[in-house]
Amino acid sequence: MSLDQNPHNIAGYVLGEHGESQFAAWSTITVQGEPITEIAKDQHLELSELDKAARGGGWLVFNGKKYTCYAIATCAAKLLQAVFSDAKLACPASVYLEDYGCYVGYPAVIGKNGVEYVHHLELTDEEKKTS
């Protein structure tokens, strides 16, 4: 299953803990500005299969390399650079969400104070249940 797109044309969020409990927030995902849900209808794509592939991506890397430390280290370095340079970098990060009473991977802006603010996403009721 392929959208035959440059990854830079795809925007949106996969939320939650990295791994098996993460989920694609389909309401946030666009391809060249078009909602993925509409593209999936037009192209008869199974979003559940795409979600499954995304959740299994870490295992795919682990099974091939037997470790995933480089991706984790790259993300940590990027976050540190954002803090030290006050970059105001918009990216997913582990943030505390009062609605859920815990830390979760969610879009935030990272600067000299760490998490400067958390973006509010208008998730569907189903996505809210999943998170």
Side-chain angles (χ1 to χ4, degrees):
M1 173 182 327
S2 172
L3 293 173
D4 195 29
Q5 288 288 323
N6 181 314
H8 294 287
N9 294 338
I10 302 170
Y13 294 100
V14 174
L15 302 175
E17 180 186 20
H18 183 75
E20 291 297 314
S21 66
Q22 72 188 33
F23 71 97
W26 297 117
S27 65
T28 70
I29 300 174
T30 61
V31 179
Q32 294 184 354
E34 295 293 322
I36 186 90
T37 51
E38 295 302 315
I39 292 168
K41 287 178 195 172
D42 293 343
Q43 295 187 17
H44 307 290
L45 298 175
E46 287 294 328
L47 293 180
S48 60
E49 290 299 314
L50 288 173
D51 188 55
K52 183 179 175 182
R55 280 186 280 117
W59 285 112
L60 183 66
V61 171
F62 179 78
N63 287 330
K65 292 182 173 184
K66 303 302 178 210
Y67 55 88
T68 60
C69 62
Y70 293 123
I72 295 165
T74 299
C75 290
K78 188 174 183 177
L79 289 170
L80 283 171
Q81 287 174 338
V83 170
F84 291 144
S85 66
D86 195 22
K88 304 290 191 271
L89 174 69
C91 66
S94 182
V95 299
Y96 186 80
L97 295 179
E98 296 216 11
D99 289 349
Y100 303 110
C102 65
Y103 285 84
V104 64
Y106 213 77
V109 172
I110 309 299
K112 68 181 178 185
N113 298 309
V115 175
E116 300 283 340
Y117 59 91
V118 177
H119 285 288
H120 176 72
L121 298 177
E122 291 294 331
L123 300 177
T124 66
D125 289 341
E126 185 176 325
E127 290 167 342
K128 288 176 186 174
K129 288 180 202 173
T130 304
S131 59

